[in-house]
Amino acid sequence: MAAVKLADNVYWVGANVHTEDLFEGIWPTPNGVTLNAYVVKGEKTAVIELVREWGGASLTLLQNLKSLGITPHDIDYIVFNHLEPDHTGFTSTLRNLAPKAEILCTQRGAALVDGFYGIKDNVRAVKTGDTLDLGQGKALAFTEIPHVHWPETMVSFERSSGILFSGDAFGSFGAFRGSIFDDEQPTVNKSYWEAEMLRYYASIVATFSPHVLKAIDALKDIDVKMIAPSHGLIWRGCPQAVINKYLRYANYNKDFAEPEVCVVWGSMYGNTEVMLSAVLRGIAGEGVPVKVHRVPNEDASFILADAYRAAGLIIGVPTYEYSMFPPGRYILELFVKKHVWYKKVGFFGSYGWSGGAQKDFDELSKNMHWDILDPLTFRGYPTPELLEKGEQMGVALARQVKEILPKTRDEEY
Ligand code: FEO
């Protein structure tokens, strides 16, 4: 994808990446992902974020720079808002191509430039309040926003254009579909971006939600006209829309989220699946939106997104070798790690010789701020009486969820 102008002498020079390689080695990107890099030109030239060698991204970056008349030798500064290698993997190569370019990042970031790439020379640590004057009216001001999502994270604000280069904050999975800007998205693309943004947030950022709220507060006095994150859309038409989305997401693990139910289930021989049908009948009768995910068949990131967004959560998995069916346990462990908190929850599952899944469930759910209905575990195939109880579990949970007010608003963009 070719370079795109954001403002006078400010350009996007990143890459759309389409690969079967997993993001962070865990998360699939079936819709691709963007590695956003930017150039700000004054008398001096700064590149903000790089790429990693991934689906041709480093070549794309060099070609985009070349299309603007910039060779690596012309680069004076490389600014890293965040050191994760999806944005910095090209550092060693670029240091060879552009030996005079000074790297700017936070103090903690400098330790990672050394740790990942063995580079100590020509690295400048900056902190909140520091600025970089590029000449010709262009300057970058830095603000640290630690733990969004790594400790060394900062943002860079270009004053003359009002562009906030926000790193992973306000980012999203998903490749561009024709335009990099929010205000050029057709209506049909908006659900795509909402889904990919939420999946990104739940998978990458959710654990650090309190720091997201602190970061948004720290940035509130900056007159932001455009938000340019390191993944996903550039928010030019309505930067407040993405701030509102991130506020909404960050609050999903502070209180009960949207009046919806996410059901996660797995079944070895169909016994737990029979109970699933009864539970779903109960939910459907109450008219509550429901997302249903089978493990291990579906990827965890899609389950995380729907579970994170829903106020209601039902987990139905059998016992396997005296403990929880392993794919279900993995999802539950991710819920713990990603702070999928404050849910109305139901649990059910079949066992053979002995139970064990519920013991794992009880252990993993104890610090999750969950309101849990009476679990429903049973030996073998559920009786008609048990199936009636399962349907009532669905009804009870759906009714609790219906009392929760929707948090979703149409954030216009
Ligand atoms: Fe996109 Fe946390 O790196």
Side-chain angles (χ1 to χ4, degrees):
M1 185 171 166
V4 181
K5 181 177 178 179
L6 270 62
D8 286 346
N9 291 320
V10 183
Y11 296 88
W12 176 92
V13 289
N16 261 338
V17 175
H18 299 281
T19 174
E20 293 185 358
D21 195 9
L22 301 173
F23 192 93
E24 290 189 336
I26 307 175
W27 319 109
T29 54
N31 297 312
V33 63
T34 75
L35 297 178
N36 295 340
Y38 303 94
V39 164
V40 181
K41 285 180 69 177
E43 287 155 15
K44 302 284 189 180
T45 297
V47 176
I48 302 173
E49 324 290 16
L50 296 179
V51 296
R52 63 173 282 209
E53 181 36 58
W54 205 17
S58 52
L59 180 60
T60 302
L61 172 67
L62 292 176
Q63 285 176 329
N64 282 339
L65 290 170
K66 187 178 176 185
S67 74
L68 300 172
I70 299 169
T71 71
H73 276 281
D74 298 321
I75 299 170
D76 298 291
Y77 304 107
I78 300 167
V79 177
F80 288 137
N81 288 316
H82 167 42
L83 265 293
E84 194 164 6
D86 51 334
H87 309 290
T88 62
F90 193 45
T91 302
S92 295
T93 305
L94 195 63
R95 173 51 68 103
N96 288 328
L97 295 172
K100 80 178 174 75
E102 184 180 20
I103 293 172
L104 284 82
C105 56
T106 61
Q107 187 74 49
R108 284 167 155 169
L112 289 182
V113 175
D114 183 17
F116 281 132
Y117 308 109
I119 294 174
K120 292 187 178 72
D121 297 336
N122 216 11
V123 177
R124 188 195 314 183
V126 296
K127 60 184 183 308
T128 296
D130 288 352
T131 57
L132 177 69
D133 187 356
L134 299 172
Q136 297 181 348
K138 290 282 184 283
L140 296 172
F142 306 110
T143 303
E144 292 166 88
I145 56 163
H147 300 285
V148 184
H149 58 127
W150 281 20
E152 86 295 355
T153 307
M154 68 175 189
V155 297
S156 304
F157 180 63
E158 203 294 299
R159 290 170 173 162
S160 70
S161 58
I163 299 175
L164 181 72
F165 300 97
S166 62
D168 280 353
F170 312 119
S172 171
F173 287 136
F176 295 130
R177 292 183 165 180
S179 170
I180 71 171
F181 295 112
D182 62 329
D183 55 4
E184 292 180 349
Q185 298 305 306
T187 301
V188 292
N189 280 4
K190 293 186 178 180
S191 59
Y192 162 75
W193 285 113
E194 175 75 28
E196 285 293 58
M197 187 170 295
L198 178 62
R199 189 169 71 92
Y200 177 86
Y201 189 95
S203 304
I204 310 292
V205 186
T207 310
F208 306 94
S209 290
H211 300 281
V212 171
L213 296 173
K214 276 187 199 165
I216 289 173
D217 187 60
L219 300 172
K220 69 178 184 303
D221 295 328
I222 298 176
D223 185 17
V224 175
K225 295 187 171 58
M226 194 184 312
I227 293 179
S230 55
H231 303 288
L233 284 181
I234 283 75
W235 296 81
R236 178 178 68 180
C238 187
Q240 189 61 42
V242 73
I243 294 171
N244 289 346
K245 285 179 192 297
Y246 260 59
L247 277 172
R248 173 159 56 84
Y249 301 160
N251 280 291
Y252 278 168
N253 61 13
K254 282 179 69 181
D255 198 358
F256 297 100
E258 306 290 348
E260 304 169 4
V261 178
C262 176
V263 178
V264 183
W265 73 283
S267 185
M268 295 166 65
Y269 296 108
N271 299 308
T272 300
E273 194 273 341
V274 174
M275 183 59 78
L276 168 78
S277 298
V279 172
L280 290 176
R281 189 161 55 245
I283 298 170
E286 294 298 315
V288 172
V290 63
K291 300 274 178 54
V292 183
H293 294 284
R294 183 175 188 180
V295 291
N297 309 55
E298 296 180 55
D299 178 73
S301 63
F302 294 90
I303 301 172
L304 269 174
D306 285 337
Y308 190 67
R309 178 187 153 91
L313 179 62
I314 293 186
I315 298 165
V317 287
T319 289
Y320 183 98
E321 295 181 354
Y322 311 108
S323 56
M324 187 181 285
F325 186 55
R329 185 180 168 95
Y330 171 62
I331 294 296
L332 208 48
E333 286 170 347
L334 279 178
F335 289 169
V336 173
K337 178 170 265 309
K338 301 298 179 184
H339 297 184
V340 181
W341 292 349
Y342 293 97
K343 305 292 174 193
K344 310 287 186 184
V345 178
F347 178 77
F348 65 90
S350 172
Y351 59 85
W353 288 111
S354 74
Q358 190 185 327
K359 175 171 58 70
D360 278 357
F361 174 80
D362 292 344
E363 177 67 24
L364 289 166
S365 63
K366 65 185 176 189
N367 295 317
M368 296 291 282
H369 311 280
W370 287 355
D371 289 348
I372 302 171
L373 298 169
D374 287 340
L376 196 52
T377 58
F378 47 93
R379 173 167 282 163
Y381 194 90
T383 63
E385 293 74 27
L386 283 168
L387 291 173
E388 174 59 28
K389 284 189 179 180
E391 183 169 342
Q392 288 310 312
M393 173 191 278
V395 170
L397 190 118
R399 286 181 179 168
Q400 289 185 13
V401 163
K402 276 202 287 193
E403 292 174 3
I404 292 159
L405 294 175
K407 314 296 186 298
T408 303
R409 297 182 304 275
D410 281 336
E411 289 117 350
E412 285 303 322
Y413 66 94

